[in-house]
mmCIF file of all heavy atoms in Angstrom:
data_model
loop_
_atom_site.group_PDB
_atom_site.id
_atom_site.type_symbol
_atom_site.label_atom_id
_atom_site.label_comp_id
_atom_site.label_asym_id
_atom_site.label_seq_id
_atom_site.Cartn_x
_atom_site.Cartn_y
_atom_site.Cartn_z
ATOM 1 N N GLU A 6 103.182 87.625 94.898
ATOM 2 C CA GLU A 6 102.455 88.389 93.945
ATOM 3 C C GLU A 6 100.860 88.238 94.160
ATOM 4 O O GLU A 6 100.255 89.199 94.077
ATOM 5 C CB GLU A 6 102.806 87.886 92.504
ATOM 6 C CG GLU A 6 104.206 88.354 91.981
ATOM 7 C CD GLU A 6 105.268 87.482 92.616
ATOM 8 O OE1 GLU A 6 104.977 86.446 93.301
ATOM 9 O OE2 GLU A 6 106.473 87.859 92.422
ATOM 10 N N LEU A 7 100.503 87.091 94.404
ATOM 11 C CA LEU A 7 99.033 86.835 94.727
ATOM 12 C C LEU A 7 98.663 87.638 95.992
ATOM 13 O O LEU A 7 97.512 88.186 96.010
ATOM 14 C CB LEU A 7 98.724 85.376 94.872
ATOM 15 C CG LEU A 7 98.841 84.541 93.550
ATOM 16 C CD1 LEU A 7 98.717 83.020 93.823
ATOM 17 C CD2 LEU A 7 97.627 84.929 92.613
ATOM 18 N N ALA A 8 99.546 87.742 96.920
ATOM 19 C CA ALA A 8 99.206 88.454 98.115
ATOM 20 C C ALA A 8 99.105 89.949 97.799
ATOM 21 O O ALA A 8 98.223 90.721 98.374
ATOM 22 C CB ALA A 8 100.347 88.316 99.228
ATOM 23 N N ARG A 9 99.897 90.488 96.941
ATOM 24 C CA ARG A 9 99.885 91.864 96.398
ATOM 25 C C ARG A 9 98.577 92.157 95.780
ATOM 26 O O ARG A 9 98.026 93.304 95.813
ATOM 27 C CB ARG A 9 101.032 92.280 95.586
ATOM 28 C CG ARG A 9 102.383 92.286 96.268
ATOM 29 C CD ARG A 9 103.474 92.792 95.347
ATOM 30 N NE ARG A 9 104.826 92.372 95.886
ATOM 31 C CZ ARG A 9 105.573 91.531 95.234
ATOM 32 N NH1 ARG A 9 105.318 90.955 94.111
ATOM 33 N NH2 ARG A 9 106.795 91.171 95.813
ATOM 34 N N LEU A 10 98.115 91.111 94.985
ATOM 35 C CA LEU A 10 96.871 91.297 94.261
ATOM 36 C C LEU A 10 95.646 91.061 95.007
ATOM 37 O O LEU A 10 94.454 91.384 94.490
ATOM 38 C CB LEU A 10 96.936 90.214 93.053
ATOM 39 C CG LEU A 10 97.970 90.489 91.942
ATOM 40 C CD1 LEU A 10 97.915 89.219 91.053
ATOM 41 C CD2 LEU A 10 97.602 91.759 91.236
ATOM 42 N N GLN A 11 95.665 90.725 96.222
ATOM 43 C CA GLN A 11 94.486 90.389 97.009
ATOM 44 C C GLN A 11 93.496 91.606 97.084
ATOM 45 O O GLN A 11 92.236 91.475 96.936
ATOM 46 C CB GLN A 11 94.856 90.001 98.394
ATOM 47 C CG GLN A 11 93.615 89.359 99.160
ATOM 48 C CD GLN A 11 92.922 88.222 98.476
ATOM 49 O OE1 GLN A 11 93.587 87.247 98.042
ATOM 50 N NE2 GLN A 11 91.576 88.354 98.284
ATOM 51 N N PRO A 12 94.003 92.905 97.264
ATOM 52 C CA PRO A 12 93.026 93.982 97.243
ATOM 53 C C PRO A 12 92.274 94.125 95.986
ATOM 54 O O PRO A 12 91.061 94.429 95.928
ATOM 55 C CB PRO A 12 93.848 95.222 97.602
ATOM 56 C CG PRO A 12 95.084 94.616 98.330
ATOM 57 C CD PRO A 12 95.296 93.226 97.719
ATOM 58 N N MET A 13 92.923 93.775 94.839
ATOM 59 C CA MET A 13 92.259 93.898 93.616
ATOM 60 C C MET A 13 91.174 92.761 93.355
ATOM 61 O O MET A 13 90.119 93.013 92.797
ATOM 62 C CB MET A 13 93.282 93.693 92.394
ATOM 63 C CG MET A 13 94.244 94.894 92.403
ATOM 64 S SD MET A 13 95.350 95.012 90.921
ATOM 65 C CE MET A 13 94.141 95.565 89.716
ATOM 66 N N PHE A 14 91.405 91.613 93.979
ATOM 67 C CA PHE A 14 90.354 90.590 93.988
ATOM 68 C C PHE A 14 89.170 91.017 94.878
ATOM 69 O O PHE A 14 87.996 90.910 94.475
ATOM 70 C CB PHE A 14 90.960 89.289 94.580
ATOM 71 C CG PHE A 14 91.760 88.512 93.595
ATOM 72 C CD1 PHE A 14 93.180 88.318 93.883
ATOM 73 C CD2 PHE A 14 91.260 87.959 92.438
ATOM 74 C CE1 PHE A 14 93.992 87.606 93.006
ATOM 75 C CE2 PHE A 14 92.091 87.167 91.569
ATOM 76 C CZ PHE A 14 93.503 87.058 91.866
ATOM 77 N N ASP A 15 89.549 91.664 95.978
ATOM 78 C CA ASP A 15 88.604 92.039 96.972
ATOM 79 C C ASP A 15 87.597 93.156 96.303
ATOM 80 O O ASP A 15 86.381 93.252 96.632
ATOM 81 C CB ASP A 15 89.112 92.649 98.218
ATOM 82 C CG ASP A 15 89.810 91.507 99.065
ATOM 83 O OD1 ASP A 15 89.571 90.336 98.769
ATOM 84 O OD2 ASP A 15 90.727 91.843 99.821
ATOM 85 N N ASP A 16 88.257 94.085 95.493
ATOM 86 C CA ASP A 16 87.570 95.132 94.842
ATOM 87 C C ASP A 16 86.826 94.737 93.584
ATOM 88 O O ASP A 16 86.278 95.552 92.908
ATOM 89 C CB ASP A 16 88.481 96.348 94.598
ATOM 90 C CG ASP A 16 88.878 96.926 95.880
ATOM 91 O OD1 ASP A 16 88.093 97.054 96.807
ATOM 92 O OD2 ASP A 16 89.986 97.538 95.944
ATOM 93 N N GLY A 17 86.959 93.469 93.152
ATOM 94 C CA GLY A 17 86.267 93.010 91.974
ATOM 95 C C GLY A 17 86.956 93.464 90.700
ATOM 96 O O GLY A 17 86.434 93.312 89.550
ATOM 97 N N LEU A 18 88.214 93.767 90.784
ATOM 98 C CA LEU A 18 89.036 94.119 89.589
ATOM 99 C C LEU A 18 89.692 92.876 88.905
ATOM 100 O O LEU A 18 90.064 92.863 87.753
ATOM 101 C CB LEU A 18 90.101 95.163 89.967
ATOM 102 C CG LEU A 18 89.647 96.345 90.756
ATOM 103 C CD1 LEU A 18 90.746 97.272 91.186
ATOM 104 C CD2 LEU A 18 88.619 97.109 89.825
ATOM 105 N N LEU A 19 89.906 91.875 89.751
ATOM 106 C CA LEU A 19 90.392 90.590 89.259
ATOM 107 C C LEU A 19 89.506 89.480 89.787
ATOM 108 O O LEU A 19 88.852 89.591 90.866
ATOM 109 C CB LEU A 19 91.816 90.411 89.809
ATOM 110 C CG LEU A 19 92.947 91.313 89.358
ATOM 111 C CD1 LEU A 19 94.250 90.953 90.124
ATOM 112 C CD2 LEU A 19 93.154 91.270 87.921
ATOM 113 N N ARG A 20 89.569 88.323 89.115
ATOM 114 C CA ARG A 20 88.977 87.148 89.491
ATOM 115 C C ARG A 20 89.749 86.025 89.054
ATOM 116 O O ARG A 20 90.466 86.164 88.055
ATOM 117 C CB ARG A 20 87.477 87.039 89.199
ATOM 118 C CG ARG A 20 87.167 86.918 87.639
ATOM 119 C CD ARG A 20 85.756 86.645 87.428
ATOM 120 N NE ARG A 20 85.509 86.310 86.003
ATOM 121 C CZ ARG A 20 85.179 87.208 85.048
ATOM 122 N NH1 ARG A 20 85.009 88.413 85.508
ATOM 123 N NH2 ARG A 20 85.001 86.844 83.797
ATOM 124 N N GLN A 21 89.601 84.846 89.599
ATOM 125 C CA GLN A 21 90.320 83.640 89.082
ATOM 126 C C GLN A 21 89.505 82.292 89.451
ATOM 127 O O GLN A 21 88.569 82.372 90.317
ATOM 128 C CB GLN A 21 91.651 83.604 89.794
ATOM 129 C CG GLN A 21 91.630 83.310 91.335
ATOM 130 C CD GLN A 21 93.054 83.157 91.920
ATOM 131 O OE1 GLN A 21 93.977 82.699 91.232
ATOM 132 N NE2 GLN A 21 93.246 83.581 93.179
ATOM 133 N N ASP A 22 89.815 81.412 88.498
ATOM 134 C CA ASP A 22 89.184 80.112 88.734
ATOM 135 C C ASP A 22 90.379 79.166 88.728
ATOM 136 O O ASP A 22 91.599 79.485 88.840
ATOM 137 C CB ASP A 22 88.233 79.713 87.582
ATOM 138 C CG ASP A 22 88.784 79.943 86.213
ATOM 139 O OD1 ASP A 22 90.044 79.819 86.039
ATOM 140 O OD2 ASP A 22 87.937 80.218 85.231
ATOM 141 N N ASP A 23 90.150 77.854 88.581
ATOM 142 C CA ASP A 23 91.208 76.828 88.630
ATOM 143 C C ASP A 23 92.267 77.054 87.524
ATOM 144 O O ASP A 23 93.434 76.686 87.783
ATOM 145 C CB ASP A 23 90.697 75.450 88.476
ATOM 146 C CG ASP A 23 89.880 75.013 89.685
ATOM 147 O OD1 ASP A 23 90.004 75.672 90.750
ATOM 148 O OD2 ASP A 23 88.980 74.086 89.520
ATOM 149 N N ARG A 24 91.907 77.618 86.435
ATOM 150 C CA ARG A 24 92.835 77.736 85.153
ATOM 151 C C ARG A 24 93.306 79.158 85.008
ATOM 152 O O ARG A 24 94.506 79.253 84.686
ATOM 153 C CB ARG A 24 92.093 77.201 83.969
ATOM 154 C CG ARG A 24 92.932 77.283 82.723
ATOM 155 C CD ARG A 24 94.054 76.312 82.678
ATOM 156 N NE ARG A 24 94.782 76.355 81.457
ATOM 157 C CZ ARG A 24 94.548 75.681 80.350
ATOM 158 N NH1 ARG A 24 93.481 75.018 80.198
ATOM 159 N NH2 ARG A 24 95.339 75.788 79.269
ATOM 160 N N TYR A 25 92.473 80.123 85.230
ATOM 161 C CA TYR A 25 92.863 81.481 84.717
ATOM 162 C C TYR A 25 92.705 82.552 85.877
ATOM 163 O O TYR A 25 91.782 82.442 86.734
ATOM 164 C CB TYR A 25 91.898 81.942 83.605
ATOM 165 C CG TYR A 25 92.057 81.115 82.364
ATOM 166 C CD1 TYR A 25 91.081 80.238 81.942
ATOM 167 C CD2 TYR A 25 93.226 81.327 81.527
ATOM 168 C CE1 TYR A 25 91.244 79.487 80.789
ATOM 169 C CE2 TYR A 25 93.330 80.654 80.347
ATOM 170 C CZ TYR A 25 92.412 79.629 79.965
ATOM 171 O OH TYR A 25 92.500 78.885 78.865
ATOM 172 N N LEU A 26 93.636 83.493 85.811
ATOM 173 C CA LEU A 26 93.538 84.788 86.497
ATOM 174 C C LEU A 26 93.023 85.776 85.511
ATOM 175 O O LEU A 26 93.660 85.926 84.420
ATOM 176 C CB LEU A 26 94.813 85.131 87.096
ATOM 177 C CG LEU A 26 94.910 86.403 88.028
ATOM 178 C CD1 LEU A 26 96.086 86.251 88.954
ATOM 179 C CD2 LEU A 26 94.982 87.653 87.320
ATOM 180 N N LYS A 27 91.917 86.452 85.773
ATOM 181 C CA LYS A 27 91.254 87.310 84.778
ATOM 182 C C LYS A 27 91.033 88.694 85.305
ATOM 183 O O LYS A 27 90.798 88.896 86.387
ATOM 184 C CB LYS A 27 89.911 86.689 84.365
ATOM 185 C CG LYS A 27 89.958 85.343 83.761
ATOM 186 C CD LYS A 27 88.585 84.696 83.442
ATOM 187 C CE LYS A 27 88.744 83.395 82.873
ATOM 188 N NZ LYS A 27 87.329 82.838 82.614
ATOM 189 N N ILE A 28 91.288 89.716 84.348
ATOM 190 C CA ILE A 28 90.985 91.041 84.705
ATOM 191 C C ILE A 28 89.543 91.378 84.264
ATOM 192 O O ILE A 28 89.133 90.983 83.156
ATOM 193 C CB ILE A 28 91.963 91.941 83.927
ATOM 194 C CG1 ILE A 28 93.351 91.830 84.424
ATOM 195 C CG2 ILE A 28 91.507 93.440 83.999
ATOM 196 C CD1 ILE A 28 94.430 92.518 83.584
ATOM 197 N N THR A 29 88.688 91.939 85.163
ATOM 198 C CA THR A 29 87.407 92.112 84.919
ATOM 199 C C THR A 29 87.202 93.409 84.047
ATOM 200 O O THR A 29 88.089 94.208 83.856
ATOM 201 C CB THR A 29 86.631 92.277 86.243
ATOM 202 O OG1 THR A 29 87.010 93.501 86.891
ATOM 203 C CG2 THR A 29 86.737 91.079 87.110
ATOM 204 N N GLY A 30 85.969 93.758 83.724
ATOM 205 C CA GLY A 30 85.674 94.943 83.028
ATOM 206 C C GLY A 30 86.172 96.160 83.740
ATOM 207 O O GLY A 30 87.000 97.043 83.215
ATOM 208 N N PRO A 31 85.723 96.440 85.020
ATOM 209 C CA PRO A 31 86.378 97.647 85.744
ATOM 210 C C PRO A 31 87.894 97.391 85.906
ATOM 211 O O PRO A 31 88.545 98.555 85.966
ATOM 212 C CB PRO A 31 85.610 97.547 87.085
ATOM 213 C CG PRO A 31 84.389 96.820 86.844
ATOM 214 C CD PRO A 31 84.732 95.774 85.801
ATOM 215 N N GLY A 32 88.417 96.283 85.930
ATOM 216 C CA GLY A 32 89.898 96.093 86.144
ATOM 217 C C GLY A 32 90.675 96.576 84.972
ATOM 218 O O GLY A 32 91.871 96.777 85.084
ATOM 219 N N ARG A 33 90.105 96.724 83.769
ATOM 220 C CA ARG A 33 90.745 97.259 82.612
ATOM 221 C C ARG A 33 91.544 98.631 82.981
ATOM 222 O O ARG A 33 92.524 99.027 82.434
ATOM 223 C CB ARG A 33 89.867 97.529 81.464
ATOM 224 C CG ARG A 33 89.527 96.150 80.731
ATOM 225 C CD ARG A 33 88.550 96.546 79.641
ATOM 226 N NE ARG A 33 88.252 95.310 78.889
ATOM 227 C CZ ARG A 33 88.426 95.241 77.572
ATOM 228 N NH1 ARG A 33 89.069 96.204 76.919
ATOM 229 N NH2 ARG A 33 88.166 94.153 76.888
ATOM 230 N N TRP A 34 90.896 99.446 83.834
ATOM 231 C CA TRP A 34 91.377 100.652 84.205
ATOM 232 C C TRP A 34 92.698 100.444 85.000
ATOM 233 O O TRP A 34 93.459 101.480 85.025
ATOM 234 C CB TRP A 34 90.390 101.450 85.091
ATOM 235 C CG TRP A 34 89.179 101.886 84.453
ATOM 236 C CD1 TRP A 34 88.316 101.319 83.691
ATOM 237 C CD2 TRP A 34 88.707 103.251 84.480
ATOM 238 N NE1 TRP A 34 87.262 102.035 83.201
ATOM 239 C CE2 TRP A 34 87.493 103.311 83.720
ATOM 240 C CE3 TRP A 34 89.148 104.556 85.081
ATOM 241 C CZ2 TRP A 34 86.743 104.490 83.521
ATOM 242 C CZ3 TRP A 34 88.409 105.581 84.937
ATOM 243 C CH2 TRP A 34 87.245 105.566 84.154
ATOM 244 N N PHE A 35 92.845 99.348 85.573
ATOM 245 C CA PHE A 35 93.999 99.151 86.516
ATOM 246 C C PHE A 35 94.906 98.098 86.154
ATOM 247 O O PHE A 35 95.560 97.437 86.854
ATOM 248 C CB PHE A 35 93.469 98.940 87.938
ATOM 249 C CG PHE A 35 92.472 99.884 88.393
ATOM 250 C CD1 PHE A 35 91.066 99.539 88.384
ATOM 251 C CD2 PHE A 35 92.779 101.317 88.678
ATOM 252 C CE1 PHE A 35 90.054 100.429 88.811
ATOM 253 C CE2 PHE A 35 91.790 102.174 89.081
ATOM 254 C CZ PHE A 35 90.501 101.735 89.074
ATOM 255 N N VAL A 36 94.998 97.794 84.814
ATOM 256 C CA VAL A 36 95.847 96.710 84.273
ATOM 257 C C VAL A 36 97.357 96.962 84.611
ATOM 258 O O VAL A 36 98.031 96.030 84.879
ATOM 259 C CB VAL A 36 95.679 96.498 82.751
ATOM 260 C CG1 VAL A 36 96.141 97.781 82.008
ATOM 261 C CG2 VAL A 36 96.396 95.299 82.342
ATOM 262 N N ARG A 37 97.747 98.254 84.729
ATOM 263 C CA ARG A 37 99.103 98.505 85.138
ATOM 264 C C ARG A 37 99.370 98.083 86.587
ATOM 265 O O ARG A 37 100.442 97.576 86.853
ATOM 266 C CB ARG A 37 99.393 100.048 84.952
ATOM 267 C CG ARG A 37 99.488 100.524 83.553
ATOM 268 C CD ARG A 37 99.336 102.027 83.493
ATOM 269 N NE ARG A 37 100.465 102.777 84.066
ATOM 270 C CZ ARG A 37 100.581 104.143 84.142
ATOM 271 N NH1 ARG A 37 99.532 104.886 83.592
ATOM 272 N NH2 ARG A 37 101.586 104.663 84.651
ATOM 273 N N ASN A 38 98.373 98.242 87.400
ATOM 274 C CA ASN A 38 98.572 97.813 88.878
ATOM 275 C C ASN A 38 98.665 96.378 88.890
ATOM 276 O O ASN A 38 99.470 95.768 89.679
ATOM 277 C CB ASN A 38 97.299 98.268 89.712
ATOM 278 C CG ASN A 38 97.077 99.837 89.535
ATOM 279 O OD1 ASN A 38 96.529 100.240 88.549
ATOM 280 N ND2 ASN A 38 97.423 100.555 90.592
ATOM 281 N N ALA A 39 97.858 95.595 88.142
ATOM 282 C CA ALA A 39 97.957 94.122 88.159
ATOM 283 C C ALA A 39 99.316 93.691 87.667
ATOM 284 O O ALA A 39 99.882 92.767 88.221
ATOM 285 C CB ALA A 39 96.786 93.541 87.314
ATOM 286 N N ALA A 40 99.795 94.259 86.588
ATOM 287 C CA ALA A 40 101.107 93.936 86.019
ATOM 288 C C ALA A 40 102.224 94.228 87.034
ATOM 289 O O ALA A 40 103.183 93.432 87.185
ATOM 290 C CB ALA A 40 101.297 94.638 84.679
ATOM 291 N N ALA A 41 102.065 95.371 87.782
ATOM 292 C CA ALA A 41 103.161 95.771 88.713
ATOM 293 C C ALA A 41 103.320 94.727 89.742
ATOM 294 O O ALA A 41 104.410 94.663 90.379
ATOM 295 C CB ALA A 41 102.859 97.124 89.229
ATOM 296 N N ALA A 42 102.318 94.064 90.148
ATOM 297 C CA ALA A 42 102.457 93.052 91.211
ATOM 298 C C ALA A 42 103.463 91.997 90.847
ATOM 299 O O ALA A 42 104.027 91.353 91.738
ATOM 300 C CB ALA A 42 101.073 92.415 91.518
ATOM 301 N N PHE A 43 103.711 91.749 89.564
ATOM 302 C CA PHE A 43 104.681 90.786 89.109
ATOM 303 C C PHE A 43 106.015 91.271 88.770
ATOM 304 O O PHE A 43 106.875 90.506 88.364
ATOM 305 C CB PHE A 43 104.050 90.059 87.885
ATOM 306 C CG PHE A 43 102.854 89.217 88.189
ATOM 307 C CD1 PHE A 43 101.630 89.794 88.031
ATOM 308 C CD2 PHE A 43 102.976 87.820 88.588
ATOM 309 C CE1 PHE A 43 100.483 89.006 88.364
ATOM 310 C CE2 PHE A 43 101.898 87.112 88.874
ATOM 311 C CZ PHE A 43 100.582 87.698 88.805
ATOM 312 N N ASP A 44 106.271 92.550 89.033
ATOM 313 C CA ASP A 44 107.523 93.198 88.778
ATOM 314 C C ASP A 44 108.437 93.033 90.012
ATOM 315 O O ASP A 44 108.348 93.711 90.989
ATOM 316 C CB ASP A 44 107.258 94.668 88.529
ATOM 317 C CG ASP A 44 108.602 95.404 88.037
ATOM 318 O OD1 ASP A 44 109.685 94.899 88.239
ATOM 319 O OD2 ASP A 44 108.386 96.470 87.537
ATOM 320 N N ARG A 45 109.498 92.144 89.817
ATOM 321 C CA ARG A 45 110.273 91.827 90.972
ATOM 322 C C ARG A 45 111.246 92.975 91.321
ATOM 323 O O ARG A 45 111.730 92.984 92.464
ATOM 324 C CB ARG A 45 111.069 90.536 90.730
ATOM 325 C CG ARG A 45 112.373 90.689 89.940
ATOM 326 C CD ARG A 45 113.080 89.377 89.776
ATOM 327 N NE ARG A 45 114.352 89.604 88.979
ATOM 328 C CZ ARG A 45 114.972 88.583 88.544
ATOM 329 N NH1 ARG A 45 114.552 87.336 88.566
ATOM 330 N NH2 ARG A 45 116.162 88.821 88.005
ATOM 331 N N TYR A 46 111.459 93.853 90.385
ATOM 332 C CA TYR A 46 112.378 94.934 90.667
ATOM 333 C C TYR A 46 111.694 96.232 91.247
ATOM 334 O O TYR A 46 112.346 97.061 91.816
ATOM 335 C CB TYR A 46 113.112 95.470 89.312
ATOM 336 C CG TYR A 46 113.783 94.257 88.629
ATOM 337 C CD1 TYR A 46 113.299 93.638 87.496
ATOM 338 C CD2 TYR A 46 114.991 93.791 89.148
ATOM 339 C CE1 TYR A 46 113.897 92.530 86.853
ATOM 340 C CE2 TYR A 46 115.633 92.623 88.598
ATOM 341 C CZ TYR A 46 115.203 92.134 87.420
ATOM 342 O OH TYR A 46 115.761 90.964 86.918
ATOM 343 N N LEU A 47 110.417 96.216 91.186
ATOM 344 C CA LEU A 47 109.632 97.338 91.701
ATOM 345 C C LEU A 47 109.373 97.304 93.229
ATOM 346 O O LEU A 47 109.534 98.287 93.945
ATOM 347 C CB LEU A 47 108.226 97.345 90.980
ATOM 348 C CG LEU A 47 107.290 98.558 91.424
ATOM 349 C CD1 LEU A 47 107.949 99.892 90.919
ATOM 350 C CD2 LEU A 47 106.002 98.385 90.700
ATOM 351 N N HIS A 48 109.124 96.173 93.728
ATOM 352 C CA HIS A 48 108.789 96.061 95.096
ATOM 353 C C HIS A 48 110.098 96.039 96.065
ATOM 354 O O HIS A 48 111.080 95.399 95.699
ATOM 355 C CB HIS A 48 107.963 94.805 95.395
ATOM 356 C CG HIS A 48 106.720 94.898 94.458
ATOM 357 N ND1 HIS A 48 105.589 95.714 94.859
ATOM 358 C CD2 HIS A 48 106.352 94.416 93.293
ATOM 359 C CE1 HIS A 48 104.633 95.613 93.989
ATOM 360 N NE2 HIS A 48 105.097 94.891 92.976
ATOM 361 N N GLY A 49 109.962 96.648 97.182
ATOM 362 C CA GLY A 49 111.043 96.768 98.082
ATOM 363 C C GLY A 49 112.090 97.795 97.721
ATOM 364 O O GLY A 49 113.075 97.860 98.340
ATOM 365 N N SER A 50 111.672 98.704 96.800
ATOM 366 C CA SER A 50 112.566 99.813 96.487
ATOM 367 C C SER A 50 111.810 101.155 96.529
ATOM 368 O O SER A 50 110.509 101.115 96.566
ATOM 369 C CB SER A 50 113.151 99.644 95.028
ATOM 370 O OG SER A 50 112.068 99.701 94.089
ATOM 371 N N GLU A 51 112.465 102.220 96.559
ATOM 372 C CA GLU A 51 111.794 103.558 96.703
ATOM 373 C C GLU A 51 111.824 104.215 95.290
ATOM 374 O O GLU A 51 112.342 105.355 95.063
ATOM 375 C CB GLU A 51 112.531 104.397 97.706
ATOM 376 C CG GLU A 51 112.617 103.792 99.015
ATOM 377 C CD GLU A 51 111.192 103.709 99.675
ATOM 378 O OE1 GLU A 51 110.394 104.492 99.370
ATOM 379 O OE2 GLU A 51 111.021 102.747 100.380
ATOM 380 N N THR A 52 111.288 103.557 94.281
ATOM 381 C CA THR A 52 111.430 104.088 92.942
ATOM 382 C C THR A 52 110.055 104.376 92.283
ATOM 383 O O THR A 52 109.998 104.878 91.159
ATOM 384 C CB THR A 52 112.016 102.975 91.974
ATOM 385 O OG1 THR A 52 111.324 101.871 92.071
ATOM 386 C CG2 THR A 52 113.488 102.727 92.486
#
């Protein structure tokens, strides 16, 4: 999941420290994308 999220970190939509993974201000637009990274049924399918 963290590998899937790496582009969002690179684009400043997410950031993290030792305790928290956080959605930034611009990242609010893409909260669905961040959530989808943790959907085990979504990835590897054509849906």
